[in-house]
Amino acid sequence: MTADAMHAHSARERSAVQRLLRNPAAVVSASVIAAMVIGAALAPWLAGYSYDAVDRANVLSGPMAGHLLGTDNQGQDIWARLLFGARVSLAIGIIVEAIEVIIGVSLGLLAAYRGGLWDTLLMRVTDAMFAFPDLLFAILLVGILRPTSPFAGFLTVFVALALVNWPSMARIVRGQALALREKEFVEAARAIGVPDRQIILRHLLPNLLSPILVAATVDIANVVLAEATLSFLGIGIQPPYPSWGRMISDSLPYLRSAPMLLVYPAAALAMLVLSFNFLGDALRDALDPRLRR
Amino acid sequence: MLTYLGKRLLLAIPTLVVVSFVTFFLGFLAPGSPIDLLMGQHGDPNVRRRLEHQYGLDLPPLQQYRRFLINAVRGNLGYSFANGERPVSQMIAEQFPTTALLACLAICTAMLLGLPAGLIAAIRHNGLPDRLVMSGVLLLVSTPPFVLAPLLMLLLALRLEWLPSSGWEGPQYWVMPVLVLAARPAALMARLMRSSMLDVLRQDYIRTAHAKGLTSGQVIRRHALKNAFLPVLTVVGNSFGYLLTGSFVVETIFGIPGIGYESVHSILARDYPVIQAVALLVATIFITVNLIVDLLYALVDPRVRYEAAR
C-alpha cells in the first residue's frame, strides 16, 4: 500500500469510528457488551460465591444481604450464576465466531479466487447445509453425541455450532470477493504481475474487512442464542456449570412463585443478543454510508 | 417451466440423500450402543444378540444404511428403542398434524403481522412508524422463543388469567404458542418487506407512475407491492426451517403433543430411530417448502424462469 492509500484508508476508518460514536444505540450496546465482558472476566472476584456454592439456609430467597439478587431453588446465588453464565455465552459466542470467520473467509476466498472445482464444491456443500435448518443440525449433533465429561460437553457445543454456522460466512465472503475481483484495481495489480497470494492478502482481504466485521457481529448474536437454546433443551452446557439457557429452563417450575428466577437470565440474554444486533446494524451504517437507509 | 421444475426436483434428491446419510451415520458416532439402553441391567449375551438382530444392528453399516433408506422410502422408519418398540412412522403420523397446524398458524400470523408492518415502515420511511417497527424487529429477533414463551405465560396465563398456560385442547390453547413461534419470522418478514419496498420505490417506473398522476396509494397497490413482495417469499420459505426447530422449544414449554416435544424426549432418551426419522422428515419438509417457494417465484417472475431454462 502506498503512503497515500494508507492515509486514505486510516482517514476512512477514523470517520467510520466517528460515525459509530455519534450513534447512541451503538454506544449503548457497545457499553453493554463491554460491561458483560468485564463482568465475565472478573466473575470469580465480582460474584462473591462460586457458581456451584449452595446456601441451604436460603433457598428461593429474594434479594437480601449477602445475596444481591437472591438465590435459586437450590440455594445458589443468582448474581454469581449470572456472571459465570456470561462467561459461557461470551466465550462460546466469540470463539465459535472466530472459528467460523477463519473457515468461512478462507473457503470463501479460495472459491471466489480459484473458481472452478473449488467454487462448485463450496456451493454444493453450502447448499446441502442450507437445506437443513441449522439449529436443528446442532441439536441433533449434540443430542446424539451427548458427551459425558464436562470438558467434552463444552467441546461438542463449540464444534457443533461452528460446523453449522460457517457456510453463510463463506457465501458472504465469496460473493463480495467475486465482485471485488472484477474491479479495476485488482485487474491492474494482476496486470503488473502481483502474485495471487499478495492480491488476496493486500487487495481483497482489506476490502472485505467491513462486510466480514458486520456479518460476524450480527452472527455472534445467533451463536449466543443457539448455545442458550441447546442448554435450555438440556443438551448444551451441563450443570453444575451455569448457562443462561439452562437457568431459564430451571426457572420454569417456579414461574408462579418466583418469576424473578426467569426474568434475570432472560433479561441478561436478551440484552446481550440485542446489543450485538444493534452494534452490527450500527457498524453496517458506519462502515458503508451508501447502504444507509 | 417444466424444465425448471424437473431441474429443481432432480437437485432436491441428492440433498435428501446427503441428509439421510449424515443423520444415519451420526448415530454411529454416538458413545455406547443403543442396545445398552434397551437392555438396562440385563447382561445376557443371547438377549443382546437377539435384539441386535431384530434391529438389524448386526449388519455392516453400509447395509444398515441401505436397509434404512429402502424402508424409509416404503414408509417404514424403524422402531422406537424407548417407546415400547412402537413403529416410528406411527408415532410421527400421530404427532405430525399437531406440529403442522402449529407451524401453519404461526406462518400465517407472521405474514399478517410482519408484511403490513414492513410496508408501513417503508411508506413512512424514517418517520415514527418506521422507527417503531425497526425497534420492534430488533427486539423480537433478539428474544428467543424460550424467553418469550415464559414471559407471555407469566403475563397472559398466570397474572391476567386470560389463557390456559399449557396443553393443546382447543383454539384458546393455540394463541400463545402461535404468537411465540410467529414472533421471529414476523420480524424478519417486516425487515425484508421494508427494505424490498424501499428498493422498489426508488425505481424509475415508480417515478413514472407518480408522474402520470396516480395517487400514492394506487402506485403502491398497483405497481410496487407485487415486485416488493417477491424477495419476501424466500423468507417465508426459510421460516419453515425455523418453525420446525422452534417447535422443539415451544412444544416442550407448552406441553404440546407434537413432533418437537417427542424429538426432545427422544434426544434425551437417545432414541436414535426416532431422531433419525425426525431429521429426515424435517429435511424433507424444508426442502419441499423451499422448492415450492422457488417454483412460485418462477411462476410470478418470468426473469427467473428465463434464467433457469437456459
Side-chain angles (χ1 to χ4, degrees):
Chain A
M1 215 180 271
T2 65
D4 264 2
M6 199 99 101
H7 184 72
H9 191 66
S10 68
R12 198 175 64 198
E13 265 171 10
R14 208 166 35 235
S15 70
V17 171
Q18 276 168 1
R19 274 196 296 274
L20 201 61
L21 287 179
R22 273 203 300 270
N23 183 342
V27 176
V28 172
S29 43
S31 316
V32 170
I33 295 171
M36 287 200 182
V37 169
I38 293 171
L42 301 181
W45 294 278
L46 292 176
Y49 297 88
S50 161
Y51 55 85
D52 55 355
V54 171
D55 182 353
R56 294 212 186 284
N58 294 300
V59 171
L60 284 177
S61 80
M64 56 178 276
H67 295 293
L68 191 59
L69 299 177
T71 57
D72 66 7
N73 55 307
Q74 295 187 50
Q76 296 172 320
D77 185 70
I78 293 174
W79 170 242
R81 290 180 68 76
L82 278 180
L83 282 174
F84 281 98
R87 282 191 158 189
V88 171
S89 286
L90 284 165
I92 287 189
I94 291 166
I95 295 173
V96 167
E97 194 52 47
I99 300 174
E100 228 176 84
V101 167
I102 292 169
I103 301 178
V105 170
S106 23
L107 291 185
L109 277 175
L110 190 68
Y113 207 77
R114 282 284 151 80
L117 182 66
W118 289 107
D119 197 28
T120 318
L121 212 60
L122 178 78
M123 293 306 276
R124 286 292 82 79
V125 171
T126 46
D127 267 346
M129 303 279 290
F130 283 138
F132 209 65
D134 46 4
L135 187 55
L136 186 68
F137 190 58
I139 292 176
L140 290 176
L141 202 63
V142 182
I144 287 176
L145 293 176
R146 289 296 293 290
T148 35
S149 76
F151 177 70
F154 273 103
L155 205 64
T156 320
V157 174
F158 276 113
V159 171
L161 293 180
L163 212 59
V164 165
N165 281 314
W166 68 267
S168 56
M169 183 60 80
R171 283 279 184 99
I172 291 171
V173 171
R174 171 186 174 272
Q176 299 275 346
L178 274 181
L180 275 178
R181 214 181 61 160
E182 305 303 322
K183 289 270 165 69
E184 285 89 352
F185 73 95
V186 176
E187 215 178 308
R190 211 175 314 149
I192 60 171
V194 180
D196 282 359
R197 206 172 60 96
Q198 266 191 39
I199 293 182
I200 291 180
L201 291 182
R202 295 257 179 92
H203 296 284
L204 293 187
L205 210 51
N207 283 296
L208 286 170
L209 279 183
S210 13
I212 294 172
L213 190 63
V214 171
T217 310
V218 175
D219 209 46
I220 291 181
N222 293 332
V223 174
V224 168
L225 275 185
E227 179 276 319
T229 308
L230 290 178
S231 298
F232 175 85
L233 292 173
I235 52 178
I237 304 304
Q238 297 299 321
Y241 207 87
S243 147
W244 292 343
R246 184 68 184 217
M247 287 172 77
I248 291 172
S249 73
D250 285 344
S251 81
L252 293 185
Y254 308 94
L255 199 52
R256 192 185 289 272
S257 54
M260 291 320 272
L261 285 190
L262 162 76
V263 172
Y264 292 131
L269 181 65
M271 248 162 69
L272 183 61
V273 173
L274 196 63
S275 299
F276 274 115
N277 276 329
F278 262 125
L279 191 62
D281 276 8
L283 274 174
R284 180 180 0 239
D285 289 346
L287 288 170
D288 195 349
R290 277 166 307 173
L291 285 178
R292 190 161 213 168
R293 285 184 182 149
Chain B
M1 190 66 210
L2 272 179
T3 335
Y4 183 65
L5 179 72
K7 248 186 185 168
R8 288 305 319 260
L9 273 177
L10 280 181
L11 271 177
I13 293 170
T15 318
L16 265 181
V17 171
V18 169
V19 168
S20 70
F21 189 83
V22 170
T23 42
F24 188 83
F25 282 97
L26 269 181
F28 283 90
L29 288 175
S33 155
I35 298 296
D36 295 336
L37 241 101
L38 214 57
M39 302 252 305
Q41 297 301 312
H42 289 288
D44 189 347
N46 285 325
V47 177
R48 168 178 287 272
R49 259 197 298 281
R50 189 181 60 74
L51 278 172
E52 276 181 352
H53 185 70
Q54 186 187 333
Y55 282 100
L57 293 173
D58 51 349
L59 297 170
L62 270 178
Q63 272 193 39
Q64 284 187 41
Y65 175 62
R66 219 187 62 185
R67 223 170 77 145
F68 168 73
L69 262 194
I70 293 173
N71 282 336
V73 171
R74 287 188 187 144
N76 175 3
L77 291 169
Y79 299 89
S80 163
F81 285 141
N83 247 336
E85 303 178 20
R86 277 177 62 203
V88 176
S89 40
Q90 188 192 330
M91 288 166 60
I92 285 179
E94 277 170 24
Q95 288 147 350
F96 184 65
T98 309
T99 303
L101 175 68
L102 185 61
C104 288
L105 286 173
I107 204 98
C108 294
T109 311
M111 287 170 82
L112 282 177
L113 295 176
L115 300 183
L119 203 59
I120 293 167
I123 294 170
R124 295 291 181 82
H125 182 39
N126 281 338
L128 182 66
D130 190 17
R131 279 165 212 279
L132 281 180
V133 167
M134 289 318 279
S135 315
V137 163
L138 270 182
L139 197 65
L140 287 183
V141 166
S142 308
T143 316
F146 54 85
V147 169
L148 199 55
L151 287 180
L152 275 186
M153 212 188 241
L154 191 61
L155 183 71
L156 297 180
L158 298 181
R159 288 285 142 85
L160 299 173
E161 301 191 340
W162 287 349
L163 295 164
S165 63
S166 66
W168 191 252
E169 282 150 41
Q172 75 270 31
Y173 290 86
W174 300 351
V175 180
M176 282 196 291
V178 167
L179 280 180
V180 170
L181 261 186
R184 189 184 169 93
L188 295 179
M189 281 180 209
R191 179 151 73 186
L192 197 66
M193 187 73 211
R194 171 179 173 275
S195 67
S196 165
M197 194 70 189
L198 285 178
D199 273 345
V200 170
L201 288 179
R202 264 197 291 267
Q203 304 282 318
D204 288 340
Y205 71 90
I206 296 294
R207 199 178 310 137
T208 313
H210 278 296
K212 74 177 184 188
L214 294 185
T215 64
S216 303
Q218 280 172 322
V219 173
I220 285 166
R221 267 196 313 277
R222 292 207 202 136
H223 295 272
L225 204 53
K226 190 174 149 190
N227 285 316
F229 179 64
L230 271 179
V232 185
L233 256 184
T234 319
V235 180
V236 177
N238 278 332
S239 297
F240 263 89
Y242 167 78
L243 290 180
L244 293 166
T245 324
S247 72
F248 278 50
V249 171
V250 170
E251 287 177 8
T252 305
I253 293 179
F254 289 105
I256 299 167
I259 296 276
Y261 184 74
E262 184 65 43
S263 306
V264 173
H265 272 250
S266 305
I267 287 172
L268 293 176
R270 302 188 180 215
D271 197 347
Y272 299 130
V274 181
I275 300 176
Q276 283 164 353
V278 168
L280 206 55
L281 178 78
V282 169
T284 313
I285 295 173
F286 194 53
I287 291 170
T288 316
V289 169
N290 278 316
L291 189 64
I292 295 173
V293 166
D294 281 353
L295 290 180
L296 279 178
Y297 216 120
L299 208 65
V300 191
D301 190 344
R303 285 170 301 183
V304 177
R305 222 178 311 160
Y306 180 70
E307 278 290 305
R310 278 194 305 177

